Amino acid sequence: MAKLDIIIPVYNEDENIVKLLKLLDSELICNFRVLICYDSESDKTLKYLKDLNIIKNEILLIKNPKQGPNSAIIEGIKSSKSKIILVYMADDFENIKLINRMVDLIEEGNDLVIPSRFIFGGKMLGAVKSKEIVTRVGSHLIYYLARIPVKDCTNAFKMFSEHVANEIKFDSTMGFTFALELVAKSYFLKLKIIEIPSTWIEDKNRKSNFKMLKWIPYYIYWLLYSMTKNYTLEIKKFFKWIQLKKK
């Protein structure tokens, strides 16, 4: 059985998907499978994957029963059978070299490894202003307002153990909000989370599928979820402290 399952949501990736698969095949040390998660049989990515032997590692095609990247990723997680799971974007050619280190960090006992654009050494380059604002503000609000000690909640690029996938029942539905849900629920389950710096570069020749106005309410939901849960825990701790003081 493969040690690592790499979940890649796709939408008309064309020949870029072959480039990515070959880079993964050449750079990764461990045995892995690639789960290509797609919405429709008409997706142009699929014509480049007619030969599933283009790399030595196994490629699986996973049909999304719904629509959109969030449900595609969750379907990929449900289909995973490996000890370690990675969600990776089809247009990210910069961070492949991080994956071997991330596998090591999981094997050292971490439950969730988060490549972060917003810690020292991390970068976010070339993003459309509206997208950058949403991702930065969303991550900062989760950190400072909801008080979850992770600097980059909104990045979909995340690696986690099989244990995390078994523990968390995903309820998110839109955009890439699974990423916020994954971090929040892992934190409240007291799982071991670690952030490492990463670089995220927007391809200016590629049309972004980030639907800001449509997805913002769903990001706000997970912010409020995190705030409510954390403040409720803090209030319970406070009253418990008061009771102990009275004794």
Side-chain angles (χ1 to χ4, degrees), residues 1-246:
M1 185 170 68
K3 179 188 288 188
L4 171 67
D5 275 347
I6 304 175
I7 295 164
I8 304 177
V10 298
Y11 182 75
N12 295 333
E13 305 301 332
D14 296 333
E15 66 273 8
N16 272 344
I17 194 63
V18 176
K19 176 184 174 183
L20 178 68
L21 291 171
K22 289 183 175 179
L23 283 170
L24 289 169
D25 211 39
S26 64
E27 293 288 345
L28 298 197
I29 297 169
C30 70
N31 182 29
F32 66 89
R33 302 189 310 167
V34 179
L35 282 63
I36 301 289
C37 303
Y38 65 98
D39 284 354
S40 167
E41 300 295 342
S42 63
D43 192 305
K44 294 176 184 177
T45 312
L46 299 181
K47 72 178 182 179
Y48 293 91
L49 298 171
K50 288 178 181 176
D51 178 10
L52 294 179
N53 295 313
I54 52 178
I55 59 172
K56 66 177 183 291
N57 287 280
E58 185 179 5
I59 301 171
L60 299 177
L61 301 180
I62 307 294
K63 175 73 167 64
N64 181 8
K66 300 177 184 177
Q67 292 287 306
N70 202 80
S71 56
I73 290 166
I74 292 172
E75 190 65 22
I77 294 170
K78 289 178 182 175
S79 303
S80 173
K81 292 179 179 167
S82 296
K83 295 291 183 184
I84 305 172
I85 301 165
L86 171 68
V87 178
Y88 200 80
M89 297 298 103
D91 58 351
D92 186 351
F93 303 107
E94 285 73 41
N95 289 297
I96 292 172
K97 291 183 184 295
L98 273 183
I99 297 174
N100 289 322
R101 183 185 171 203
M102 293 168 72
V103 170
D104 288 342
L105 288 168
I106 293 288
E107 291 186 323
E108 288 169 11
N110 293 287
D111 296 298
L112 171 59
V113 180
I114 302 175
S116 177
R117 300 161 293 185
F118 307 137
I119 62 173
F120 181 78
K123 296 175 184 176
M124 187 175 187
L125 305 173
V128 177
K129 266 300 175 202
S130 58
K131 183 175 181 178
E132 183 173 359
I133 289 168
V134 169
T135 53
R136 282 187 182 276
V137 170
S139 289
H140 280 62
L141 288 175
I142 290 283
Y143 183 83
Y144 290 106
L145 198 57
R147 297 172 64 185
I148 290 181
V150 170
K151 288 284 184 74
D152 195 349
C153 278
T154 55
N155 194 356
F157 175 26
K158 288 179 169 63
M159 181 181 286
F160 47 98
S161 66
E162 178 187 39
H163 170 66
V164 175
N166 292 335
E167 283 289 314
I168 292 176
K169 178 185 177 296
F170 286 95
D171 299 310
S172 53
T173 57
M174 295 293 288
F176 292 94
T177 49
F178 91 94
L180 279 76
E181 181 180 13
L182 174 63
V183 172
K185 290 186 174 180
S186 294
Y187 172 73
F188 292 121
L189 286 167
K190 300 187 185 311
L191 301 178
K192 194 170 181 183
I193 303 171
I194 186 170
E195 283 189 282
I196 59 174
S198 71
T199 299
W200 188 89
I201 301 175
E202 179 87 18
D203 183 353
K204 293 184 178 179
N205 297 316
R206 177 185 169 90
K207 183 181 177 182
S208 174
N209 294 313
F210 191 82
K211 300 175 176 63
M212 184 179 70
L213 293 177
K214 185 178 180 180
W215 293 350
I216 277 180
Y218 298 91
Y219 283 86
I220 291 172
Y221 170 86
W222 288 107
L223 170 63
L224 295 175
Y225 168 92
S226 302
M227 288 174 60
T228 303
K229 188 114 176 154
N230 227 346
Y231 292 156
T232 300
L233 289 172
E234 290 297 322
I235 291 168
K236 285 180 179 178
K237 284 180 186 177
F238 175 74
F239 281 111
K240 189 175 181 180
W241 178 79
I242 292 291
Q243 288 171 348
L244 288 171
K245 279 284 188 181
K246 287 180 179 178

